[in-house]
Amino acid sequence: MAPTSTPQTPFGRVLTAMVTPFTADGALDLDGAQRLAAHLVDAGNDGIVVNGTTGESPTTSDAEKAQLVRAVVEAVGDRAHVIAGAGTNDTHHSVELARAAQAAGAHGLLVVTPYYSKPPQEGILRHHTAIADATELPVMLYDIPGRSGVPLETETIVRLAEHPRIVANKDAKGDLGSASWAMARSGLAWYSGDDMLNLPLLSVGAVGFVSVVGHVVTPELRALLAAHLDGDVAKAAAVHRQLLPVYTGMFRTQGVMTTKAALALLGLPGGPLRLPLVGLSPEETDQLKRDLVAGGVHL
């Protein structure tokens, strides 16, 4: 059974978009994935997103994606939400991935706006509707125009929110005004998908985070959230400022690359990357160490 949820927080409040660990020879490391997922939940995550961008989903096979969902559900599915990325720029393929994720035991789906082909809003609407229609799982939209090339316009979000299984949005648009209107009009549960904007998005109505830096600072993210929920504006701002070096350092270059380097520094499963991503240079690794230490991470 999936962990309990509410309409306000259908996937909990603090989730980490998990990397996909690989072995030294580049194969899927299911044992490492289970250990990393357990570590993240022990640290305070309410949910784990697998097979997302941070999970190197463009380079994993459909079979590997299903294996990963099964492994992570087996490891933590009784105490954390396991959300499977199922979005591609091919609606038929996305529907197949969604059904496979449900069969593998996922508790929900993360569906990114179709990328590269730049469909119109009507195409985006039909794409998400087809995926939401394909399973019984709740769906979190993922609006990241910097990667997809096309934003989810507010009117599209409002229309998609009418679907009974579309319950949330991961916002990496970087537009607080647009987010404010979309939250107010759609009623969707809103999750920050841009770590630097975690606190600002909370301030306009977000309920939590789908984080990358959660790999290394989940307790601090929980402290930020708790301060905000308690109305302690000064403490929330102080935690935000404490985390600035981490927010910046983890995105000086491509986020999967820095995350796997950070996990290696902490002795946690991650392993190598699949091309076209590559490991950090020694200079980049040294800079990452400085950033993490400045943000309070104990290496």
Side-chain angles (χ1 to χ4, degrees), residues 234-254:
K235 183 175 180 181
V239 178
H240 170 74
R241 289 171 184 151
Q242 172 197 334
L243 289 173
L244 287 175
V246 179
Y247 291 159
T248 297
M250 291 286 281
F251 293 99
R252 285 187 188 274
T253 185
Q254 208 277 346

Side-chain angles (χ1 to χ4, degrees), residues 148-172:
S148 69
V150 180
L152 272 175
E153 293 180 1
T154 298
E155 199 61 43
T156 305
I157 293 172
V158 172
R159 292 174 67 189
L160 286 170
E162 297 172 1
H163 195 290
R165 283 188 289 281
I166 295 177
V167 298
N169 183 57
K170 178 185 175 184
D171 183 356

Side-chain angles (χ1 to χ4, degrees), residues 104-164:
H107 304 138
L109 302 172
L110 179 71
V111 181
V112 70
T113 311
Y115 42 83
Y116 189 74
S117 46
K118 292 191 173 181
Q121 293 296 306
E122 182 62 26
I124 291 171
L125 180 80
R126 295 187 193 184
H127 172 86
H128 285 93
T129 301
I131 298 166
D133 283 344
T135 79
E136 298 303 313
L137 297 178
V139 172
M140 180 187 293
L141 308 173
Y142 184 13
D143 186 12
I144 182 165
R147 287 187 183 273
S148 69
V150 180
L152 272 175
E153 293 180 1
T154 298
E155 199 61 43
T156 305
I157 293 172
V158 172
R159 292 174 67 189
L160 286 170
E162 297 172 1
H163 195 290

Side-chain angles (χ1 to χ4, degrees), residues 26-291:
L28 189 63
D29 181 4
L30 293 176
D31 177 67
Q34 291 188 317
R35 287 187 288 120
L36 180 58
H39 167 81
L40 292 172
V41 175
D42 290 343
N45 280 281
D46 302 315
I48 302 293
V49 175
V50 297
N51 295 330
T53 309
T54 307
E56 295 178 74
S57 60
T59 69
T60 56
S61 70
D62 291 3
E64 287 175 325
K65 288 178 173 64
Q67 290 174 325
L68 186 62
V69 172
R70 269 190 215 95
V72 173
V73 169
E74 179 182 290
V76 300
D78 59 338
R79 58 196 183 107
H81 301 270
V82 179
I83 315 304
T88 72
N89 61 349
D90 173 351
T91 304
H92 178 74
H93 186 202
S94 300
V95 164
E96 291 180 335
L97 290 174
R99 289 174 175 157
Q102 177 172 261
H107 304 138
L109 302 172
L110 179 71
V111 181
V112 70
T113 311
Y115 42 83
Y116 189 74
S117 46
K118 292 191 173 181
Q121 293 296 306
E122 182 62 26
I124 291 171
L125 180 80
R126 295 187 193 184
H127 172 86
H128 285 93
T129 301
I131 298 166
D133 283 344
T135 79
E136 298 303 313
L137 297 178
V139 172
M140 180 187 293
L141 308 173
Y142 184 13
D143 186 12
I144 182 165
R147 287 187 183 273
S148 69
V150 180
L152 272 175
E153 293 180 1
T154 298
E155 199 61 43
T156 305
I157 293 172
V158 172
R159 292 174 67 189
L160 286 170
E162 297 172 1
H163 195 290
R165 283 188 289 281
I166 295 177
V167 298
N169 183 57
K170 178 185 175 184
D171 183 356
K173 187 179 282 177
D175 184 339
L176 292 172
S178 174
S180 299
W181 273 114
M183 277 185 242
R185 293 187 57 206
S186 72
L188 292 178
W190 216 259
Y191 291 83
S192 171
D194 182 346
D195 278 307
M196 185 63 84
L197 295 184
N198 284 343
L199 180 56
L201 277 165
L202 287 179
S203 75
V204 295
V207 301
F209 324 124
V210 178
S211 174
V212 172
V213 303
H215 284 90
V216 294
V217 290
T218 289
E220 291 79 2
L221 293 179
R222 293 222 71 103
L224 172 65
L225 180 66
H228 170 77
L229 293 174
D230 289 343
D232 191 339
V233 175
K235 183 175 180 181
V239 178
H240 170 74
R241 289 171 184 151
Q242 172 197 334
L243 289 173
L244 287 175
V246 179
Y247 291 159
T248 297
M250 291 286 281
F251 293 99
R252 285 187 188 274
T253 185
Q254 208 277 346
V256 187
M257 293 162 50
T258 52
T259 300
K260 285 200 166 180
L263 291 171
L265 292 171
L266 292 165
L268 292 167
L273 300 109
R274 288 183 176 175
L275 288 171
L277 299 182
V278 295
L280 297 189
S281 69
E283 294 77 15
E284 288 171 326
T285 301
D286 288 343
Q287 180 63 60
L288 178 62
K289 289 179 185 176
R290 292 193 291 272
D291 292 327

